[in-house]
């Protein structure tokens, strides 16, 4: 009787293991985890890609997030700014961000708008960290972009345009932001 029970037990165990292996190899609904890249063959897009490993030209129609592909913190190349005091930018496409125009002195709040594959930064207001109260803040246009951000494979390229007053570049204040912001930024 005990021999018969052992034989039945081992037969059931062997049959169960064999059946489980067969189901995993032939059933398309069973997903097996792997470390391989999952690629959408039709569009040749890795669904785990983000801005850090895309090509220079970015087609945002193929990204998972229409508004968040550049969000995050970026540091200006060749500048050490771990505390993000002045040579870095925090890009938020859902709210205001802060730009440092002059270290320990001039800080502004900006908002971003996207047009094609370019992001435009618009002046919103002086930041709470701003210490220069003498600039004509109320005269600066909030409708004209002050900078452009171009997504790149390894970060962003920021081109400083400057403040505008009455539709013209405010040349007296054009240098603000040029040294601290213009250039290439890498994502942290």
């Amino acid at each position: 009787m005990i021999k018969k029970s052992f034989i039945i037990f081992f037969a059931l165990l062997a049959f169960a293991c064999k059946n489980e292996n067969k189901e995993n190899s032939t059933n398309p609904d069973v997903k097996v985890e792997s470390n391989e890249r999952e690629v959408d063959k039709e569009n040749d897009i890795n669904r785990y890609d983000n801005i850090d490993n895309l090509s220079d030209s970015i087609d945002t129609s193929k990204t998972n997030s229409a508004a968040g592909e550049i969000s995050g913190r970026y540091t200006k190349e060749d500048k050490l700014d771990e505390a993000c005091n002045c040579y870095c930018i925090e890009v938020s496409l859902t709210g205001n961000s802060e730009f440092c125009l002059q270290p320990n002195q001039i800080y502004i709040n900006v908002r971003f708008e996207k047009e094609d594959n370019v992001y435009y930064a618009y002046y919103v207001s002086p930041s709470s960290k701003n210490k220069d109260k003498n600039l004509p803040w109320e005269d600066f246009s909030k409708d004209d972009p002050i900078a452009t951000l171009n997504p790149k494979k390894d970060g962003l390229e920021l081109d400083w345009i400057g403040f505008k007053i009455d539709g013209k570049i405010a040349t007296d204040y054009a240098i603000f932001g040029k040294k601290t912001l213009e250039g290439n930024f890498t994502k942290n």
Side-chain angles (χ1 to χ4, degrees):
M1 179 74 174
I2 294 177
K3 278 186 174 179
K4 198 176 197 181
S5 296
F6 276 117
I7 293 173
I8 291 173
F9 173 74
F10 284 114
L12 288 173
L13 184 64
F15 179 75
C17 290
K18 183 177 179 184
N19 194 24
E20 185 177 329
N21 287 340
K22 183 185 266 186
E23 283 181 7
N24 285 343
S25 65
T26 60
N27 189 349
D29 294 332
V30 175
K31 295 188 180 195
V32 179
E33 287 188 39
S34 74
N35 290 332
E36 294 180 25
R37 290 173 36 132
E38 292 186 30
V39 176
D40 177 354
K41 297 294 183 194
E42 182 179 314
N43 297 317
D44 194 29
I45 300 171
N46 179 349
R47 69 184 190 127
Y48 297 111
D49 272 345
N50 61 26
I51 194 77
D52 292 331
N53 54 8
L54 291 174
S55 64
D56 284 341
S57 175
I58 296 172
D59 182 358
T60 54
S61 68
K62 294 183 180 181
T63 61
N64 290 333
S65 173
E69 66 269 3
I70 71 162
S71 293
R73 181 178 281 188
Y74 297 82
T75 303
K76 191 170 183 182
E77 287 182 1
D78 303 324
K79 297 287 183 185
L80 287 175
D81 193 2
E82 291 178 18
C84 199
N85 290 321
C86 205
Y87 294 98
C88 76
I89 56 174
E90 184 84 32
V91 177
S92 172
L93 299 177
T94 58
N96 290 341
S97 297
E98 186 177 72
F99 277 0
C100 171
L101 305 182
Q102 209 172 47
N104 302 317
Q105 196 174 22
I106 302 174
Y107 297 85
I108 61 170
N109 293 317
V110 297
R111 66 181 169 79
F112 298 99
E113 288 185 13
K114 180 181 174 187
E115 190 175 308
D116 297 322
N117 288 333
V118 177
Y119 295 84
Y120 293 93
Y122 293 85
Y123 166 72
V124 173
S125 65
S127 166
S128 60
K129 290 170 41 176
N130 183 58
K131 293 185 176 138
D132 190 334
K133 309 290 185 204
N134 297 323
L135 293 176
W137 296 114
E138 64 282 345
D139 294 340
F140 294 147
S141 172
K142 294 181 180 184
D143 298 322
D144 294 308
I146 60 170
T148 60
L149 285 81
N150 293 298
K152 300 292 181 188
K153 180 179 178 182
D154 56 346
L156 297 171
E157 179 185 9
L158 191 144
D159 183 32
W160 179 254
I161 299 168
F163 295 109
K164 288 188 178 180
I165 298 175
D166 296 327
K168 297 178 184 173
I169 295 288
T171 55
D172 291 344
Y173 312 105
I175 193 73
F176 296 137
K178 193 85 164 161
K179 290 182 181 179
T180 55
L181 291 174
E182 192 163 84
N184 294 311
F185 288 76
T186 55
K187 192 165 188 176
N188 295 354

